[in-house]
Every structure is written in structure tokens, then in C-alpha cells.
Amino acid sequence: MDKSRLPTSDTISRITGVSKSTVSRALKGHPSISAATRERVVAVARELGYAPNAVARSLVTRRSGVIGFIIGDMSNPFYPEQLERLLRLLALRDMQLMMFHIPPGQDVADIIPVLLQYQLDGCLVASVELSSRAGDLGARHGLPTVLINRIPANHHACAVLCNNRAGGERIARFFVERGVRRLAFVAGKALTSTSRDREAGFMAGIEATGTALFARAVGDYTFEGGYRAGLDLLALPERPDAVFSANDIMALGLLDALRAQGVAVPAEIAVAGFDDIRAASWPAYDLTTITQPIDTLLLRAIDLLAQRIADPTLPPETLYVTGQLTIRGSAC
Amino acid sequence: MDKSRLPTSDTISRITGVSKSTVSRALKGHPSISAATRERVVAVARELGYAPNAVARSLVTRRSGVIGFIIGDMSNPFYPEQLERLLRLLALRDMQLMMFHIPPGQDVADIIPVLLQYQLDGCLVASVELSSRAGDLGARHGLPTVLINRIPANHHACAVLCNNRAGGERIARFFVERGVRRLAFVAGKALTSTSRDREAGFMAGIEATGTALFARAVGDYTFEGGYRAGLDLLALPERPDAVFSANDIMALGLLDALRAQGVAVPAEIAVAGFDDIRAASWPAYDLTTITQPIDTLLLRAIDLLAQRIADPTLPPETLYVTGQLTIRGSAC
DNA sequence: CTGAAAGCGCTTACAG
DNA sequence: CTGAAAGCGCTTACAG
């Protein structure tokens, strides 16, 4: 009935008459244990609802089966969507996840001591806004770390990224093929590699056709920022024909700004985003965007992490996955 | 450089020349330690970046400083929004959070053994769809548990709820005061107390005015379900003037269905929801709704939990917080 | 195939 | 005010 009364390996040992060592080995299917002994131990353990205390096990094995998930601001729904998939994928491997939220203004470096206390097996860093010092976790503290959609500084950590550049280029090509000429870009946070790479790809795609970028605004990766960016673009002496927003959540704000100003989408201005968050497919927005292959991305990240947990001497690696253009009503 | 090289209390002990016991006491500010000793220990610990190994500490204190957060389907953005606030509030208390995701079709009962392994201090259960057996965690396994927006079966666990009934009633009153007569309700999952209580309140509010419910549809608490419910209502021989959706995410789908059918909102049909998720305030939806006081709700939940962690003999308690009507363009 | 013993890194009575 | 010792619940060489 009480927490302190959970059965221990000693309980099983006393009931079955074999030693704790044997209980431990029997339960983890160690080959040297006789079938008869194993069966008896397993039966008693099951009957008592016994499971080895994960804390004690972690202390001796130096493996906790828990990985840390580090995120910053979650107002972009893309993060929660990743989280849900991640939990599903980890459950398949019997791994648990501990959350670490870095509030605005703080940095990964600030919580490293806390992180280190918990004997985590590894870390996934999912915020594009967090400093590159996240790589320190791996390099200086021996904690296997994989960055998601973030370029590791000094190659000190692993990373899995959606090919942001290719995605930006794809959008440019899509617009240009449809004869759009006055192309605008709405940037996310200036310091993030995702925004810069998506922009670089977009620029490359435009320049390949001999044209130049028509206008640029900044939306800081937020809905409200996207809304303001939309108003900024509409205030220009001449309006763009199409806008590529560096992520979806800004694109939604942008679409609402256009709607508020009576602009017809896509007839007057076409809009495309990046991520394919759930809201992108809601009829109110119906956003053309680059769909990030989240499951693949996370699967690769988990694989990379699992390999480093198994062998910490493995060198860092950076992997790319490719997003697909999803055409919807906002640009078609 | 390596994980196994993290300094231990023994490291500090050797450097400072005091015993491990003294190191431990000095670091936690035990009053019996002399100021001089404490300062020296603290200085060395800081210099080495030492922090007590949480796993070892948990093993002896039987306190981990970690609580479990149990959620089901996260497609309703209300859950991620809670999660972010929760992380902020827990950080203030130096508590960590471990996530447990129950996939559709599974139940809390299925992960109880896993949960129990981790020496969690307590549990917060945040899914309205999970069985009432969540209360077992507290009652049968001694794990302090607080349900969020869920009525505990048999009073075996604590709970904090938004006053769902009062919210439903408030919406009814709001509609009736504006002279709306043909009121419809869109239900969430049939088995959830949130949907039932919101409906009961709505019905009570309607009946208080001598009228009756005009129409009812079911949206299963999803965006798509809300969309279908909208089409269902429009297919009726006579249309309602106003619809109360048991949560926001369904209301968004509903609004998109109305828009798709060319229905003017709120002129022809007014719409109200419940929760006040972020998307409710996006201009595309501009949804009138009951704003749940998330921070208060979570703060109360944490308090209830902290009390039970400190004294497990405390009886279960159920607390209510009150939502506020937030009037936006979808019903005004 | 099995067991006794040591040890993971802490905390906490118990002495002094 | 401080230390030696025991112990939290496991796992894992080491013997046999």
C-alpha cells in the first residue's frame, strides 16, 4: 500500500530462496541462469508486481534509461508536435524523457549543472533559439547530445536537420515556376541557422532565375511577428506577389494580416511557410509549406543518440533529412 | 571531460580535508556546520562545478525531486500550453518533470509499473480521456497524485478542476441575454466529465430561461470532429443561431465548417468555446470562450501535490477554479 | 549455475 | 561542530 513497501530484490530473494545476485540475473535473462530458477524468480516477481528500482540500478550501472529534452519557448506548435512523436518513439525503446525548459533570456549553459545531476543517458536539444553552447554538454561533460534543427558549433555535438536550404530553394522555384516575380521573405530570429539557411536557399533559388528579392521583413518566428511583418509588407509602396515565411506560425499571422487588410490570397499575394504544423492544414489557413519529416528526423536523432550512449567515443555526426513541398490553397 | 569523472562528495572531502558527512551538511546549509567550514566546502564545490548526484540522493532520501506528468493525446493544444506553464512553475521549486505519454487505446494502469520504478515524488495526470484508475496510483501505490480537469473516482486522488459547469452556464446566459433562442451544443468525448459538466451547465442555463436545447452534435474533442459537427448542424432542417462547443479546438473546426458553407459568424450563427487556447485569439477565429486560469489551476495542483509529498497521510482534496468569459468576434 | 562481497554516491542517525 | 559507519537497492566481477 505504501511506497516504501514496494518489493525489492531482497524480497524476491527471501521468497524464492535464491540470492539477490541470482534474482537480478534471472530477471534480466542472463544466460547462465537455469531455466527452473529463472521461471521461479520471474513468477514470484510478477506476482508481487516487482520491478527493479530504477534509481538503484542507475547508480550502479551509470545508465538511467532517461534522456533529457531541452526546449525553449514552446509557443511555436512545432515543438509540442515533436514532443508527442518523440515520446512515442522513445516508449518503443523503453526510454523515458525528462523535460528541461529554458525560459527566455536563459541559456542551456545555465541548466547544465542541473542536467548533470540526473545521470541522464543523453540529451536532445530542440530549440533553435538556444545558444550553440549546447554542444558543450557533449564535448565538456561527456553527455551524448543531439541537436535538432540546429547547427552544432565547432562540431562538438551531433545534429539532425531538415535540409533548410533545399526547402527555401524549393519554395523559390515553386513561386518562380508559377510566374511570380515580386518575391518577399519573412525572416525568423536573425541568429538562428534555420532562418538563415531557409533564406539562403530562397535567395539562391531566386537568383538562379536572374531576379532579385523584392522585399524582406522580420517576424521573429512568432505569430504576432508574422502579423506585423504582413502589415509591414503591405505598407510598402509596391506590394509583393508572394511571400515565403521562414516558418509556419509566422505565416499564419501573416495570412491573418493580409485578410485583415482585404488582400486576396493567393490571387493578390501567395503565401508559403515551413514546417507543416497542424494548423497549416486548417481550412482557415490552408497553408502551402515545406513538410518536415518529423518522425524520420526524430528517429535519426534517437539513433545517433543511442549510438553515442553505447559508445561515447564515436565522433559527432550531422545528418540531413529532406522536407517535401505540400501545396495547399495559400499558394497554388 | 568524461561523465564518470564528475566530482563526487568524496572529491570535495579529500580536497577540503573534511568528511563526506560534513560536505553533505555544509552544502545543504545544515545549521550545525561552522561558517568557516561551510564556506570552504561551498567554495571548492563551486570551483569544481560539483552538485550532489541526484540518483544517489534519491536512493537514500526516497525523494527524487521529480514528478511525473501523464498525458494522453496531445493534439489539443491546450495540453502543450499547460506543459509549458507547468515547467515554469516547477522550475521555481527546483522540481523536474518526467513525461509519460499514454497512446490511444492504452490506459494509465498499463504504465503504473514503469512509473513506480522511477521513485517519483508524485504525479500529475492531465488527460481528460484517461480512465479513473489513475486514482489507483495514489490509493494503491502510495504515489501522491493530482488529476487536472478530471474527477477522481471514489475520491482516491486529488483533483483540480476548472468549474466546467459554471462555465457552461455562463455561456448559456451570455447567449440568452443577447436574445439568441436556438442554441446548439457540440459535445466532446462522451465519457469525459469535462464535456458532461460543461453540457450540464449549459443545459441548466438554458432551462433557467424556460427554453430547451435546439440541437446537439458530437465532435469528440478534435478539430476534425468539430468540423464534422458543424456540417451536421448545418444539415439540419432548421439551423441554430448559436453553438457552444465543449472545447476550443472543436470550435475552430466548427468555425471553418461554417465558413466553408458561407455562414456568417456571428450574424447567422454565433460560436463559443471553452479553454482559451492560443489559437482562439488568432484573428482567423477570434473565438469567444471561457478562459481557463491555467496558472492558478496548475499552481493549485502543485500545491496539493507538494502537501501530499510532505505528508502522505493527508486526505484527497478536490479544488475548483473559475474560468472567465472572454468575448471576441465569434459571439458578441 | 549460483553466491558472498564490494561498491555506485549519497544521507543520516549515533557518538563524541 | 564533526566523523565513522551503516544503509538506500541494485549490479557485477570474482570464486567456486
Side-chain angles (χ1 to χ4, degrees):
Chain A
M1 283 302 165
D2 185 58
K3 203 170 168 182
S4 59
R5 300 268 212 74
L6 283 182
T8 71
S9 69
D10 206 62
T11 318
I12 313 289
S13 163
R14 267 199 304 266
I15 296 182
T16 57
V18 301
S19 72
K20 285 190 304 174
S21 326
T22 300
V23 170
S24 172
R25 288 191 272 246
L27 255 20
K28 57 171 52 163
H30 192 104
S32 76
I33 299 293
S34 76
T37 308
R38 176 170 46 249
E39 277 160 29
R40 202 147 45 88
V41 170
V42 168
V44 172
R46 189 197 317 275
E47 192 183 344
L48 265 57
Y50 168 77
N53 180 323
V55 172
R57 194 193 326 106
S58 302
L59 189 59
V60 28
T61 62
R62 298 161 161 284
R63 279 287 157 76
S64 61
V66 180
I67 70 164
F69 190 54
I70 305 183
I71 49 164
D73 181 34
M74 281 208 291
S75 59
N76 181 354
F78 189 57
Y79 295 118
E81 290 176 24
Q82 282 182 222
L83 174 60
E84 182 170 17
R85 314 275 199 121
L86 181 60
L87 287 170
R88 250 180 246 259
L89 294 172
L90 288 178
L92 264 33
R93 294 173 174 248
D94 287 316
M95 300 190 75
Q96 303 304 326
L97 189 148
M98 202 146 145
M99 300 279 306
F100 294 89
H101 177 248
I102 318 273
Q106 280 196 52
D107 195 90
V108 178
D110 301 325
I111 61 149
I112 286 185
V114 179
L115 224 44
L116 259 19
Q117 280 187 271
Y118 285 92
Q119 200 92 349
L120 301 175
D121 290 347
C123 255
L124 250 26
V125 180
S127 182
V128 293
E129 301 173 28
L130 300 172
S131 112
S132 44
R133 262 181 298 170
D136 286 6
L137 279 170
R140 310 205 6 201
H141 304 282
L143 186 62
T145 302
V146 178
L147 310 186
I148 295 176
N149 267 328
R150 202 177 196 312
I151 294 180
N154 322 324
H155 306 284
H156 271 166
C158 292
V160 182
L161 299 101
C162 185
N163 195 326
N164 292 307
R165 203 189 145 86
E169 210 165 338
R170 183 73 191 86
I171 296 285
R173 205 146 25 90
F174 170 77
F175 280 147
V176 170
E177 278 166 3
R178 273 154 185 74
V180 181
R181 285 290 165 268
R182 296 194 294 197
L183 299 176
F185 177 73
V186 175
K189 303 229 190 263
L191 295 173
T192 63
S193 59
T194 47
S195 184
R196 284 197 304 234
D197 291 350
R198 288 165 194 179
E199 179 165 17
F202 190 57
M203 296 302 291
I206 295 176
E207 282 156 13
T209 69
T211 29
L213 187 69
F214 180 77
R216 184 181 193 277
V218 177
D220 276 332
Y221 270 160
T222 65
F223 182 94
E224 293 74 18
Y227 192 96
R228 281 192 302 271
L231 297 183
D232 290 349
L233 292 175
L234 293 181
L236 259 28
E238 277 190 298
R239 291 177 173 183
D241 302 322
V243 184
F244 169 40
S245 164
N247 77 0
D248 281 358
I249 189 77
M250 289 194 297
L252 304 188
L254 178 71
L255 284 167
D256 273 337
L258 300 187
R259 188 167 1 218
Q261 300 292 314
V263 175
V265 174
E268 295 177 58
I269 301 184
V271 175
F274 201 114
D275 286 345
D276 200 9
I277 58 177
R278 278 197 197 107
S281 65
W282 292 351
Y285 296 107
D286 201 28
L287 180 68
T288 290
T289 188
I290 298 289
T291 304
Q292 291 206 49
I294 307 191
D295 278 323
T296 310
L297 190 88
L298 294 175
L299 216 44
R300 294 263 186 292
I302 294 175
D303 282 343
L304 241 32
L305 198 57
Q307 288 165 15
R308 265 77 196 166
I309 292 171
D311 176 6
T313 67
L314 251 32
E317 210 173 321
T318 295
L319 255 41
Y320 286 86
V321 297
T322 304
Q324 298 294 326
L325 178 64
T326 297
I327 301 176
R328 299 203 183 91
S330 73
C332 51
Chain B
M1 283 299 167
D2 186 57
K3 205 173 169 182
S4 59
R5 301 268 212 73
L6 282 182
T8 70
S9 69
D10 206 62
T11 318
I12 313 289
S13 163
R14 267 198 304 266
I15 297 182
T16 56
V18 301
S19 71
K20 286 190 305 175
S21 326
T22 300
V23 170
S24 172
R25 287 192 272 248
L27 255 20
K28 57 171 53 162
H30 192 105
S32 77
I33 299 294
S34 77
T37 308
R38 175 168 47 247
E39 278 160 28
R40 203 146 45 88
V41 170
V42 168
V44 172
R46 190 197 317 274
E47 192 182 342
L48 265 57
Y50 169 78
N53 180 324
V55 172
R57 195 193 325 108
S58 302
L59 189 59
V60 28
T61 61
R62 297 159 162 286
R63 279 288 157 75
S64 61
V66 179
I67 70 164
F69 190 53
I70 305 182
I71 49 163
D73 180 35
M74 281 206 292
S75 59
N76 181 353
F78 189 57
Y79 295 118
E81 290 177 23
Q82 282 182 222
L83 174 59
E84 182 170 17
R85 315 274 198 122
L86 180 59
L87 286 170
R88 249 180 246 258
L89 294 172
L90 288 177
L92 264 32
R93 293 173 174 249
D94 287 316
M95 300 190 75
Q96 303 304 325
L97 188 148
M98 201 147 145
M99 300 279 304
F100 294 89
H101 176 248
I102 318 272
Q106 282 197 49
D107 195 89
V108 178
D110 301 326
I111 60 149
I112 287 185
V114 180
L115 223 45
L116 258 19
Q117 279 187 270
Y118 284 92
Q119 199 92 347
L120 300 174
D121 290 348
C123 256
L124 249 27
V125 180
S127 182
V128 293
E129 300 173 30
L130 300 173
S131 113
S132 44
R133 263 181 297 171
D136 287 6
L137 279 170
R140 310 205 6 200
H141 305 282
L143 186 62
T145 302
V146 178
L147 311 186
I148 295 176
N149 267 329
R150 207 185 189 306
I151 294 180
N154 322 323
H155 306 286
H156 272 165
C158 292
V160 182
L161 300 101
C162 184
N163 195 326
N164 292 307
R165 204 190 143 86
E169 209 166 338
R170 183 73 190 87
I171 296 286
R173 202 144 29 87
F174 169 76
F175 280 148
V176 169
E177 278 167 3
R178 272 152 186 77
V180 182
R181 286 290 165 265
R182 298 194 294 198
L183 298 176
F185 177 73
V186 175
K189 303 228 190 263
L191 295 173
T192 62
S193 60
T194 46
S195 184
R196 283 198 305 235
D197 291 349
R198 288 166 195 180
E199 178 165 17
F202 190 57
M203 296 302 292
I206 295 175
E207 283 156 13
T209 69
T211 28
L213 187 69
F214 179 77
R216 184 180 192 278
V218 177
D220 278 331
Y221 271 161
T222 66
F223 183 93
E224 293 73 18
Y227 192 95
R228 281 193 301 271
L231 297 183
D232 290 349
L233 292 175
L234 292 180
L236 259 28
E238 276 191 299
R239 292 177 173 182
D241 302 322
V243 184
F244 169 41
S245 163
N247 77 359
D248 281 358
I249 190 77
M250 289 195 297
L252 304 187
L254 179 72
L255 283 167
D256 274 337
L258 300 187
R259 184 162 9 213
Q261 300 293 314
V263 175
V265 174
E268 295 176 58
I269 301 184
V271 175
F274 202 113
D275 287 345
D276 201 10
I277 58 178
R278 278 195 198 108
S281 65
W282 292 351
Y285 296 107
D286 200 28
L287 180 68
T288 291
T289 189
I290 299 290
T291 304
Q292 290 207 49
I294 307 191
D295 277 324
T296 311
L297 190 87
L298 295 174
L299 216 44
R300 295 265 187 289
I302 294 174
D303 282 343
L304 240 33
L305 198 57
Q307 288 165 15
R308 266 77 196 167
I309 291 172
D311 177 5
T313 67
L314 251 31
E317 210 172 320
T318 295
L319 255 40
Y320 286 86
V321 297
T322 304
Q324 298 294 325
L325 178 64
T326 296
I327 302 176
R328 298 203 183 91
S330 74
C332 51

